Amino acid sequence: VDEPRKTAVSLSTRLVTTRLVLRAPKVTDVPELRLVMRKNAEHLRPFSPAHPPGEDPGSLTGLSTMVARQRREWRHDRRFSFVMTMRDPEAPIIGRVSLNNIVRGAFLNADLGYWIDESFQKRGLMTEGVRAVLAFAFDELGLHRVQAAIMPHNLASLRVVEKLGFRREGEAAAYLRIAGKWEDHILFAILAGEKPAATP
Ligand SMILES: CC(C)(COP(=O)(O)OP(=O)(O)OC[C@H]1O[C@@H](n2cnc3c(N)ncnc32)[C@H](O)[C@@H]1OP(=O)(O)O)[C@@H](O)C(=O)NCCC(=O)NCCS
């Protein structure tokens, strides 16, 4: 049985790493989210679900709805979707890391998702951000398993989970509909007892 949790995790939770801060999105983030998502539209399109025709998820209305939904899902223990910034208090949003589709009961599992601004890639930042979110998933949420599904040609993302010590579990045919096409994915997972690998 998927019982509701007794203690909700505060929406003001901040995960602070050497270089990054990760926190829940706020309504006041919407203009900034719009900028970073527009700037990265081409970078993210090959890895994102296509949006329904007529809907613009990058519009102020679409993003406000998304932020409100994500804050509701956070309160209800369904999804913990972080925005990521550098540690400078004035620093803009440069990416996101999300624990999606949380199932408790006998599964205690989440699906991991992430992206970073194109110009911040290849500095180890996403590996650092995901490492902090894994610690949160296991130590704060009490999850047992975090899963990642990655397309075989997404070499940067494959490398992120490899660096963190995820195990390759297998191949899933036509697993997610990405950019309008059902794509094969490789499934990876890490368990609570398997500490993420130390920073290389
Ligand atoms: C995947 C992604 C989040 C990685 O972010 P990042 O901050 O660059 O990640 P890191 O720097 O922590 O690690 C990336 C690793 O991949 C490697 N890499 C990057 N591009 C690569 C490429 N084209 N081929 C092979 N390796 C590549 C980097 O060298 C680095 O490995 P290293 O530390 O051994 O040198 C980023 O590329 C992104 O946002 N991609 C688009 C969205 C996406 O794919 N999301 C995940 C969907 S499953």
Side-chain angles (χ1 to χ4, degrees):
V1 182
D2 196 6
E3 291 175 3
R5 297 180 75 232
K6 292 196 183 65
T7 44
V9 175
S10 168
L11 273 159
S12 52
T13 299
R14 285 159 61 88
L15 310 183
V16 181
T17 71
T18 310
R19 292 176 290 174
L20 299 166
V21 176
L22 296 107
R23 58 166 177 80
K26 301 177 287 197
V27 176
T28 48
D29 292 330
V30 164
E32 209 178 283
L33 276 170
R34 185 165 182 247
L35 278 179
V36 70
M37 292 183 72
R38 294 218 157 173
K39 178 180 169 211
N40 286 281
E42 293 306 315
H43 167 53
L44 299 178
R45 187 168 295 119
F47 306 103
S48 309
H51 53 83
E55 277 183 32
D56 180 4
S59 68
L60 290 177
T61 318
L63 286 167
S64 302
T65 307
M66 179 191 79
V67 167
R69 187 185 66 239
Q70 290 178 349
R71 291 178 69 84
R72 202 164 53 241
E73 289 169 329
W74 183 295
R75 285 194 301 270
H76 292 153
D77 190 46
R78 293 288 173 214
R79 178 198 307 255
F80 293 85
S81 195
F82 293 86
V83 294
M84 188 166 97
T85 69
M86 301 299 282
R87 271 179 70 164
D88 172 355
E90 303 298 314
I93 293 166
I94 56 164
R96 303 212 58 173
V97 182
S98 301
L99 295 165
N100 300 316
N101 305 322
I102 293 184
V103 179
R104 291 197 174 264
F107 198 18
L108 288 177
N109 182 75
D111 287 316
L112 178 67
Y114 46 78
W115 60 263
I116 194 167
D117 183 314
E118 194 170 13
S119 60
F120 285 82
Q121 291 180 113
K122 298 192 188 181
R123 302 190 206 169
L125 289 170
M126 188 48 78
T127 304
E128 187 172 319
V130 172
R131 181 179 285 109
V133 170
L134 289 176
F136 170 82
F138 297 136
D139 302 343
E140 303 299 321
L141 300 181
L143 295 182
H144 168 68
R145 181 174 179 277
V146 173
Q147 172 182 313
I150 304 178
M151 288 187 280
H153 63 271
N154 192 347
L155 300 177
S157 186
L158 290 171
R159 183 75 188 118
V160 169
V161 297
E162 183 189 9
K163 286 194 287 183
L164 288 165
F166 280 66
R167 270 174 304 97
R168 183 185 164 120
E169 295 200 319
E171 278 146 48
Y175 184 69
L176 294 173
R177 190 163 181 173
I178 301 295
K181 184 167 172 278
W182 287 103
E183 296 281 0
D184 298 347
H185 282 69
I186 307 175
L187 300 186
F188 294 86
I190 187 163
L191 300 179
E194 300 171 329
K195 282 280 174 218
T199 311

PDB file of all heavy atoms in Angstrom, residues 43-44 47 114-116 120-128 149-150 154-157 159-160 163, ligand 1:
ATOM      1  N   HIS A  43      19.404  22.745 -27.426  1.00  0.00           N
ATOM      2  CA  HIS A  43      20.226  21.824 -26.635  1.00  0.00           C
ATOM      3  C   HIS A  43      19.358  20.722 -26.009  1.00  0.00           C
ATOM      4  O   HIS A  43      19.754  19.546 -25.972  1.00  0.00           O
ATOM      5  CB  HIS A  43      20.943  22.661 -25.563  1.00  0.00           C
ATOM      6  CG  HIS A  43      21.612  21.931 -24.458  1.00  0.00           C
ATOM      7  ND1 HIS A  43      22.530  20.917 -24.652  1.00  0.00           N
ATOM      8  CD2 HIS A  43      21.520  22.083 -23.098  1.00  0.00           C
ATOM      9  CE1 HIS A  43      22.966  20.483 -23.474  1.00  0.00           C
ATOM     10  NE2 HIS A  43      22.368  21.164 -22.525  1.00  0.00           N
ATOM     11  N   LEU A  44      18.156  21.107 -25.546  1.00  0.00           N
ATOM     12  CA  LEU A  44      17.333  20.158 -24.784  1.00  0.00           C
ATOM     13  C   LEU A  44      16.337  19.389 -25.649  1.00  0.00           C
ATOM     14  O   LEU A  44      15.903  18.305 -25.259  1.00  0.00           O
ATOM     15  CB  LEU A  44      16.589  20.891 -23.662  1.00  0.00           C
ATOM     16  CG  LEU A  44      17.503  21.574 -22.632  1.00  0.00           C
ATOM     17  CD1 LEU A  44      16.678  22.304 -21.581  1.00  0.00           C
ATOM     18  CD2 LEU A  44      18.436  20.552 -21.957  1.00  0.00           C
ATOM     19  N   PHE A  47      16.271  15.614 -26.181  1.00  0.00           N
ATOM     20  CA  PHE A  47      16.167  14.774 -24.986  1.00  0.00           C
ATOM     21  C   PHE A  47      14.868  15.017 -24.222  1.00  0.00           C
ATOM     22  O   PHE A  47      14.707  14.548 -23.096  1.00  0.00           O
ATOM     23  CB  PHE A  47      17.369  15.052 -24.055  1.00  0.00           C
ATOM     24  CG  PHE A  47      18.681  14.906 -24.764  1.00  0.00           C
ATOM     25  CD1 PHE A  47      19.403  16.022 -25.163  1.00  0.00           C
ATOM     26  CD2 PHE A  47      19.170  13.648 -25.082  1.00  0.00           C
ATOM     27  CE1 PHE A  47      20.602  15.886 -25.855  1.00  0.00           C
ATOM     28  CE2 PHE A  47      20.362  13.505 -25.765  1.00  0.00           C
ATOM     29  CZ  PHE A  47      21.088  14.624 -26.157  1.00  0.00           C
ATOM     30  N   TYR A 114      17.457  15.106 -15.419  1.00  0.00           N
ATOM     31  CA  TYR A 114      18.328  16.269 -15.233  1.00  0.00           C
ATOM     32  C   TYR A 114      18.704  16.910 -16.561  1.00  0.00           C
ATOM     33  O   TYR A 114      18.667  16.276 -17.606  1.00  0.00           O
ATOM     34  CB  TYR A 114      19.625  15.895 -14.483  1.00  0.00           C
ATOM     35  CG  TYR A 114      20.318  14.637 -14.969  1.00  0.00           C
ATOM     36  CD1 TYR A 114      21.083  14.635 -16.121  1.00  0.00           C
ATOM     37  CD2 TYR A 114      20.196  13.438 -14.271  1.00  0.00           C
ATOM     38  CE1 TYR A 114      21.717  13.492 -16.564  1.00  0.00           C
ATOM     39  CE2 TYR A 114      20.830  12.275 -14.701  1.00  0.00           C
ATOM     40  CZ  TYR A 114      21.585  12.315 -15.854  1.00  0.00           C
ATOM     41  OH  TYR A 114      22.206  11.173 -16.295  1.00  0.00           O
ATOM     42  N   TRP A 115      19.002  18.216 -16.493  1.00  0.00           N
ATOM     43  CA  TRP A 115      19.619  18.925 -17.628  1.00  0.00           C
ATOM     44  C   TRP A 115      20.388  20.117 -17.082  1.00  0.00           C
ATOM     45  O   TRP A 115      20.114  20.605 -15.996  1.00  0.00           O
ATOM     46  CB  TRP A 115      18.588  19.382 -18.664  1.00  0.00           C
ATOM     47  CG  TRP A 115      17.519  20.317 -18.180  1.00  0.00           C
ATOM     48  CD1 TRP A 115      16.253  19.967 -17.786  1.00  0.00           C
ATOM     49  CD2 TRP A 115      17.595  21.748 -18.039  1.00  0.00           C
ATOM     50  NE1 TRP A 115      15.547  21.082 -17.410  1.00  0.00           N
ATOM     51  CE2 TRP A 115      16.338  22.201 -17.547  1.00  0.00           C
ATOM     52  CE3 TRP A 115      18.594  22.701 -18.276  1.00  0.00           C
ATOM     53  CZ2 TRP A 115      16.061  23.541 -17.299  1.00  0.00           C
ATOM     54  CZ3 TRP A 115      18.312  24.049 -18.018  1.00  0.00           C
ATOM     55  CH2 TRP A 115      17.062  24.454 -17.541  1.00  0.00           C
ATOM     56  N   ILE A 116      21.361  20.561 -17.875  1.00  0.00           N
ATOM     57  CA  ILE A 116      22.137  21.741 -17.488  1.00  0.00           C
ATOM     58  C   ILE A 116      22.283  22.655 -18.701  1.00  0.00           C
ATOM     59  O   ILE A 116      22.330  22.174 -19.855  1.00  0.00           O
ATOM     60  CB  ILE A 116      23.519  21.333 -16.902  1.00  0.00           C
ATOM     61  CG1 ILE A 116      24.188  22.518 -16.190  1.00  0.00           C
ATOM     62  CG2 ILE A 116      24.441  20.767 -17.975  1.00  0.00           C
ATOM     63  CD1 ILE A 116      25.382  22.111 -15.325  1.00  0.00           C
ATOM     64  N   PHE A 120      27.364  25.534 -19.355  1.00  0.00           N
ATOM     65  CA  PHE A 120      27.938  25.080 -18.070  1.00  0.00           C
ATOM     66  C   PHE A 120      28.338  23.602 -18.102  1.00  0.00           C
ATOM     67  O   PHE A 120      28.714  23.042 -17.077  1.00  0.00           O
ATOM     68  CB  PHE A 120      26.940  25.328 -16.931  1.00  0.00           C
ATOM     69  CG  PHE A 120      26.852  26.769 -16.527  1.00  0.00           C
ATOM     70  CD1 PHE A 120      26.059  27.658 -17.236  1.00  0.00           C
ATOM     71  CD2 PHE A 120      27.576  27.244 -15.441  1.00  0.00           C
ATOM     72  CE1 PHE A 120      25.980  29.001 -16.869  1.00  0.00           C
ATOM     73  CE2 PHE A 120      27.504  28.578 -15.061  1.00  0.00           C
ATOM     74  CZ  PHE A 120      26.707  29.453 -15.779  1.00  0.00           C
ATOM     75  N   GLN A 121      28.245  22.972 -19.274  1.00  0.00           N
ATOM     76  CA  GLN A 121      28.546  21.542 -19.373  1.00  0.00           C
ATOM     77  C   GLN A 121      30.033  21.254 -19.175  1.00  0.00           C
ATOM     78  O   GLN A 121      30.872  22.143 -19.282  1.00  0.00           O
ATOM     79  CB  GLN A 121      28.156  21.027 -20.758  1.00  0.00           C
ATOM     80  CG  GLN A 121      26.660  21.000 -21.014  1.00  0.00           C
ATOM     81  CD  GLN A 121      26.351  20.473 -22.396  1.00  0.00           C
ATOM     82  OE1 GLN A 121      25.788  19.412 -22.532  1.00  0.00           O
ATOM     83  NE2 GLN A 121      26.729  21.211 -23.416  1.00  0.00           N
ATOM     84  N   LYS A 122      30.327  19.984 -18.935  1.00  0.00           N
ATOM     85  CA  LYS A 122      31.697  19.440 -18.908  1.00  0.00           C
ATOM     86  C   LYS A 122      32.576  20.051 -17.826  1.00  0.00           C
ATOM     87  O   LYS A 122      33.779  20.210 -18.021  1.00  0.00           O
ATOM     88  CB  LYS A 122      32.366  19.583 -20.280  1.00  0.00           C
ATOM     89  CG  LYS A 122      31.621  18.811 -21.372  1.00  0.00           C
ATOM     90  CD  LYS A 122      32.439  18.731 -22.628  1.00  0.00           C
ATOM     91  CE  LYS A 122      31.637  18.146 -23.775  1.00  0.00           C
ATOM     92  NZ  LYS A 122      32.384  18.038 -24.996  1.00  0.00           N
ATOM     93  N   ARG A 123      31.959  20.455 -16.707  1.00  0.00           N
ATOM     94  CA  ARG A 123      32.749  20.915 -15.562  1.00  0.00           C
ATOM     95  C   ARG A 123      32.472  20.033 -14.352  1.00  0.00           C
ATOM     96  O   ARG A 123      32.771  20.416 -13.220  1.00  0.00           O
ATOM     97  CB  ARG A 123      32.367  22.334 -15.187  1.00  0.00           C
ATOM     98  CG  ARG A 123      32.528  23.354 -16.265  1.00  0.00           C
ATOM     99  CD  ARG A 123      32.342  24.723 -15.611  1.00  0.00           C
ATOM    100  NE  ARG A 123      31.877  25.695 -16.571  1.00  0.00           N
ATOM    101  CZ  ARG A 123      31.426  26.902 -16.231  1.00  0.00           C
ATOM    102  NH1 ARG A 123      31.364  27.253 -14.956  1.00  0.00           N
ATOM    103  NH2 ARG A 123      31.032  27.751 -17.147  1.00  0.00           N
ATOM    104  N   GLY A 124      31.756  18.928 -14.577  1.00  0.00           N
ATOM    105  CA  GLY A 124      31.414  18.056 -13.455  1.00  0.00           C
ATOM    106  C   GLY A 124      30.261  18.563 -12.616  1.00  0.00           C
ATOM    107  O   GLY A 124      29.954  18.024 -11.553  1.00  0.00           O
ATOM    108  N   LEU A 125      29.566  19.626 -13.099  1.00  0.00           N
ATOM    109  CA  LEU A 125      28.514  20.216 -12.270  1.00  0.00           C
ATOM    110  C   LEU A 125      27.312  19.287 -12.124  1.00  0.00           C
ATOM    111  O   LEU A 125      26.756  19.152 -11.033  1.00  0.00           O
ATOM    112  CB  LEU A 125      28.088  21.570 -12.846  1.00  0.00           C
ATOM    113  CG  LEU A 125      29.128  22.684 -12.678  1.00  0.00           C
ATOM    114  CD1 LEU A 125      28.740  23.914 -13.493  1.00  0.00           C
ATOM    115  CD2 LEU A 125      29.282  23.064 -11.200  1.00  0.00           C
ATOM    116  N   MET A 126      26.892  18.632 -13.224  1.00  0.00           N
ATOM    117  CA  MET A 126      25.717  17.777 -13.083  1.00  0.00           C
ATOM    118  C   MET A 126      26.015  16.581 -12.189  1.00  0.00           C
ATOM    119  O   MET A 126      25.184  16.182 -11.376  1.00  0.00           O
ATOM    120  CB  MET A 126      25.194  17.323 -14.454  1.00  0.00           C
ATOM    121  CG  MET A 126      23.865  16.603 -14.361  1.00  0.00           C
ATOM    122  SD  MET A 126      22.634  17.481 -13.333  1.00  0.00           S
ATOM    123  CE  MET A 126      22.088  18.764 -14.446  1.00  0.00           C
ATOM    124  N   THR A 127      27.200  16.036 -12.308  1.00  0.00           N
ATOM    125  CA  THR A 127      27.560  14.917 -11.437  1.00  0.00           C
ATOM    126  C   THR A 127      27.487  15.363  -9.975  1.00  0.00           C
ATOM    127  O   THR A 127      26.963  14.642  -9.116  1.00  0.00           O
ATOM    128  CB  THR A 127      28.974  14.423 -11.800  1.00  0.00           C
ATOM    129  OG1 THR A 127      28.973  14.094 -13.196  1.00  0.00           O
ATOM    130  CG2 THR A 127      29.364  13.191 -11.005  1.00  0.00           C
ATOM    131  N   GLU A 128      27.965  16.585  -9.708  1.00  0.00           N
ATOM    132  CA  GLU A 128      27.930  17.131  -8.339  1.00  0.00           C
ATOM    133  C   GLU A 128      26.476  17.349  -7.868  1.00  0.00           C
ATOM    134  O   GLU A 128      26.133  17.011  -6.731  1.00  0.00           O
ATOM    135  CB  GLU A 128      28.707  18.464  -8.340  1.00  0.00           C
ATOM    136  CG  GLU A 128      28.912  19.080  -6.992  1.00  0.00           C
ATOM    137  CD  GLU A 128      29.873  20.296  -7.087  1.00  0.00           C
ATOM    138  OE1 GLU A 128      30.893  20.232  -7.823  1.00  0.00           O
ATOM    139  OE2 GLU A 128      29.590  21.301  -6.412  1.00  0.00           O
ATOM    140  N   ALA A 149      16.930   6.416 -17.002  1.00  0.00           N
ATOM    141  CA  ALA A 149      16.762   5.828 -18.337  1.00  0.00           C
ATOM    142  C   ALA A 149      17.431   6.770 -19.333  1.00  0.00           C
ATOM    143  O   ALA A 149      17.117   7.961 -19.368  1.00  0.00           O
ATOM    144  CB  ALA A 149      15.279   5.681 -18.662  1.00  0.00           C
ATOM    145  N   ILE A 150      18.363   6.237 -20.112  1.00  0.00           N
ATOM    146  CA  ILE A 150      19.190   7.091 -20.973  1.00  0.00           C
ATOM    147  C   ILE A 150      19.254   6.500 -22.377  1.00  0.00           C
ATOM    148  O   ILE A 150      19.455   5.293 -22.545  1.00  0.00           O
ATOM    149  CB  ILE A 150      20.621   7.214 -20.383  1.00  0.00           C
ATOM    150  CG1 ILE A 150      20.538   7.733 -18.932  1.00  0.00           C
ATOM    151  CG2 ILE A 150      21.495   8.113 -21.246  1.00  0.00           C
ATOM    152  CD1 ILE A 150      21.888   7.853 -18.243  1.00  0.00           C
ATOM    153  N   ASN A 154      23.298   9.185 -25.884  1.00  0.00           N
ATOM    154  CA  ASN A 154      23.482  10.341 -24.995  1.00  0.00           C
ATOM    155  C   ASN A 154      24.725  10.116 -24.116  1.00  0.00           C
ATOM    156  O   ASN A 154      24.649   9.796 -22.933  1.00  0.00           O
ATOM    157  CB  ASN A 154      22.237  10.568 -24.140  1.00  0.00           C
ATOM    158  CG  ASN A 154      22.260  11.900 -23.426  1.00  0.00           C
ATOM    159  OD1 ASN A 154      23.308  12.566 -23.372  1.00  0.00           O
ATOM    160  ND2 ASN A 154      21.133  12.285 -22.866  1.00  0.00           N
ATOM    161  N   LEU A 155      25.884  10.288 -24.766  1.00  0.00           N
ATOM    162  CA  LEU A 155      27.148   9.903 -24.127  1.00  0.00           C
ATOM    163  C   LEU A 155      27.426  10.706 -22.860  1.00  0.00           C
ATOM    164  O   LEU A 155      27.945  10.166 -21.877  1.00  0.00           O
ATOM    165  CB  LEU A 155      28.292  10.048 -25.131  1.00  0.00           C
ATOM    166  CG  LEU A 155      28.155   9.178 -26.384  1.00  0.00           C
ATOM    167  CD1 LEU A 155      29.310   9.441 -27.350  1.00  0.00           C
ATOM    168  CD2 LEU A 155      28.075   7.696 -26.041  1.00  0.00           C
ATOM    169  N   ALA A 156      27.068  11.997 -22.857  1.00  0.00           N
ATOM    170  CA  ALA A 156      27.336  12.818 -21.669  1.00  0.00           C
ATOM    171  C   ALA A 156      26.533  12.298 -20.477  1.00  0.00           C
ATOM    172  O   ALA A 156      27.052  12.165 -19.363  1.00  0.00           O
ATOM    173  CB  ALA A 156      26.998  14.273 -21.959  1.00  0.00           C
ATOM    174  N   SER A 157      25.272  11.974 -20.716  1.00  0.00           N
ATOM    175  CA  SER A 157      24.424  11.485 -19.625  1.00  0.00           C
ATOM    176  C   SER A 157      24.863  10.089 -19.168  1.00  0.00           C
ATOM    177  O   SER A 157      24.864   9.790 -17.955  1.00  0.00           O
ATOM    178  CB  SER A 157      22.965  11.468 -20.095  1.00  0.00           C
ATOM    179  OG  SER A 157      22.123  11.145 -19.026  1.00  0.00           O
ATOM    180  N   ARG A 159      27.794   9.051 -19.141  1.00  0.00           N
ATOM    181  CA  ARG A 159      29.010   9.267 -18.344  1.00  0.00           C
ATOM    182  C   ARG A 159      28.657   9.759 -16.926  1.00  0.00           C
ATOM    183  O   ARG A 159      29.306   9.374 -15.955  1.00  0.00           O
ATOM    184  CB  ARG A 159      29.901  10.273 -19.090  1.00  0.00           C
ATOM    185  CG  ARG A 159      31.219  10.560 -18.449  1.00  0.00           C
ATOM    186  CD  ARG A 159      32.221   9.431 -18.615  1.00  0.00           C
ATOM    187  NE  ARG A 159      33.386   9.732 -17.804  1.00  0.00           N
ATOM    188  CZ  ARG A 159      33.825   9.004 -16.783  1.00  0.00           C
ATOM    189  NH1 ARG A 159      33.243   7.870 -16.471  1.00  0.00           N
ATOM    190  NH2 ARG A 159      34.874   9.375 -16.100  1.00  0.00           N
ATOM    191  N   VAL A 160      27.625  10.593 -16.813  1.00  0.00           N
ATOM    192  CA  VAL A 160      27.219  11.088 -15.481  1.00  0.00           C
ATOM    193  C   VAL A 160      26.860   9.903 -14.578  1.00  0.00           C
ATOM    194  O   VAL A 160      27.366   9.784 -13.460  1.00  0.00           O
ATOM    195  CB  VAL A 160      26.034  12.085 -15.594  1.00  0.00           C
ATOM    196  CG1 VAL A 160      25.442  12.386 -14.220  1.00  0.00           C
ATOM    197  CG2 VAL A 160      26.500  13.385 -16.255  1.00  0.00           C
ATOM    198  N   LYS A 163      29.916   7.798 -13.683  1.00  0.00           N
ATOM    199  CA  LYS A 163      30.774   8.410 -12.662  1.00  0.00           C
ATOM    200  C   LYS A 163      30.169   8.248 -11.272  1.00  0.00           C
ATOM    201  O   LYS A 163      30.890   8.183 -10.280  1.00  0.00           O
ATOM    202  CB  LYS A 163      30.981   9.906 -12.967  1.00  0.00           C
ATOM    203  CG  LYS A 163      31.919  10.156 -14.130  1.00  0.00           C
ATOM    204  CD  LYS A 163      32.369  11.618 -14.200  1.00  0.00           C
ATOM    205  CE  LYS A 163      31.291  12.551 -14.685  1.00  0.00           C
ATOM    206  NZ  LYS A 163      31.772  13.942 -14.817  1.00  0.00           N
TER     207      LYS A 163
HETATM  208  C1  LIG B   1      23.829  15.232 -19.671  1.00  0.00           C
HETATM  209  C2  LIG B   1      24.214  16.562 -19.048  1.00  0.00           C
HETATM  210  C3  LIG B   1      23.234  16.894 -17.934  1.00  0.00           C
HETATM  211  C4  LIG B   1      25.640  16.482 -18.470  1.00  0.00           C
HETATM  212  O1  LIG B   1      25.925  17.651 -17.724  1.00  0.00           O
HETATM  213  P1  LIG B   1      27.429  18.059 -17.352  1.00  0.00           P
HETATM  214  O2  LIG B   1      27.363  19.086 -16.271  1.00  0.00           O
HETATM  215  O3  LIG B   1      28.183  18.374 -18.572  1.00  0.00           O
HETATM  216  O4  LIG B   1      27.957  16.677 -16.734  1.00  0.00           O
HETATM  217  P2  LIG B   1      29.374  16.402 -16.080  1.00  0.00           P
HETATM  218  O5  LIG B   1      30.342  17.488 -16.450  1.00  0.00           O
HETATM  219  O6  LIG B   1      29.148  16.143 -14.637  1.00  0.00           O
HETATM  220  O7  LIG B   1      29.795  15.033 -16.769  1.00  0.00           O
HETATM  221  C5  LIG B   1      29.692  14.884 -18.180  1.00  0.00           C
HETATM  222  C6  LIG B   1      30.686  13.830 -18.647  1.00  0.00           C
HETATM  223  O8  LIG B   1      30.352  13.447 -19.985  1.00  0.00           O
HETATM  224  C7  LIG B   1      31.465  13.684 -20.826  1.00  0.00           C
HETATM  225  N1  LIG B   1      30.942  14.087 -22.127  1.00  0.00           N
HETATM  226  C8  LIG B   1      30.299  15.227 -22.435  1.00  0.00           C
HETATM  227  N2  LIG B   1      29.955  15.227 -23.730  1.00  0.00           N
HETATM  228  C9  LIG B   1      30.380  14.053 -24.224  1.00  0.00           C
HETATM  229  C10 LIG B   1      30.336  13.465 -25.501  1.00  0.00           C
HETATM  230  N3  LIG B   1      29.752  14.081 -26.536  1.00  0.00           N
HETATM  231  N4  LIG B   1      30.890  12.231 -25.665  1.00  0.00           N
HETATM  232  C11 LIG B   1      31.463  11.599 -24.630  1.00  0.00           C
HETATM  233  N5  LIG B   1      31.534  12.115 -23.385  1.00  0.00           N
HETATM  234  C12 LIG B   1      30.992  13.324 -23.207  1.00  0.00           C
HETATM  235  C13 LIG B   1      32.242  14.761 -20.145  1.00  0.00           C
HETATM  236  O9  LIG B   1      33.580  14.781 -20.586  1.00  0.00           O
HETATM  237  C14 LIG B   1      32.101  14.332 -18.685  1.00  0.00           C
HETATM  238  O10 LIG B   1      32.909  13.208 -18.382  1.00  0.00           O
HETATM  239  P3  LIG B   1      34.338  13.362 -17.625  1.00  0.00           P
HETATM  240  O11 LIG B   1      34.064  14.072 -16.330  1.00  0.00           O
HETATM  241  O12 LIG B   1      34.811  11.977 -17.481  1.00  0.00           O
HETATM  242  O13 LIG B   1      35.201  14.210 -18.527  1.00  0.00           O
HETATM  243  C15 LIG B   1      24.172  17.703 -20.104  1.00  0.00           C
HETATM  244  O14 LIG B   1      25.005  17.352 -21.183  1.00  0.00           O
HETATM  245  C16 LIG B   1      22.768  18.006 -20.627  1.00  0.00           C
HETATM  246  O15 LIG B   1      22.057  18.823 -20.045  1.00  0.00           O
HETATM  247  N6  LIG B   1      22.384  17.337 -21.741  1.00  0.00           N
HETATM  248  C17 LIG B   1      21.073  17.576 -22.333  1.00  0.00           C
HETATM  249  C18 LIG B   1      19.938  17.042 -21.471  1.00  0.00           C
HETATM  250  C19 LIG B   1      20.106  15.577 -21.141  1.00  0.00           C
HETATM  251  O16 LIG B   1      20.639  14.804 -21.903  1.00  0.00           O
HETATM  252  N7  LIG B   1      19.620  15.182 -19.948  1.00  0.00           N
HETATM  253  C20 LIG B   1      19.710  13.809 -19.487  1.00  0.00           C
HETATM  254  C21 LIG B   1      18.704  12.935 -20.151  1.00  0.00           C
HETATM  255  S1  LIG B   1      18.879  11.215 -19.635  1.00  0.00           S
END
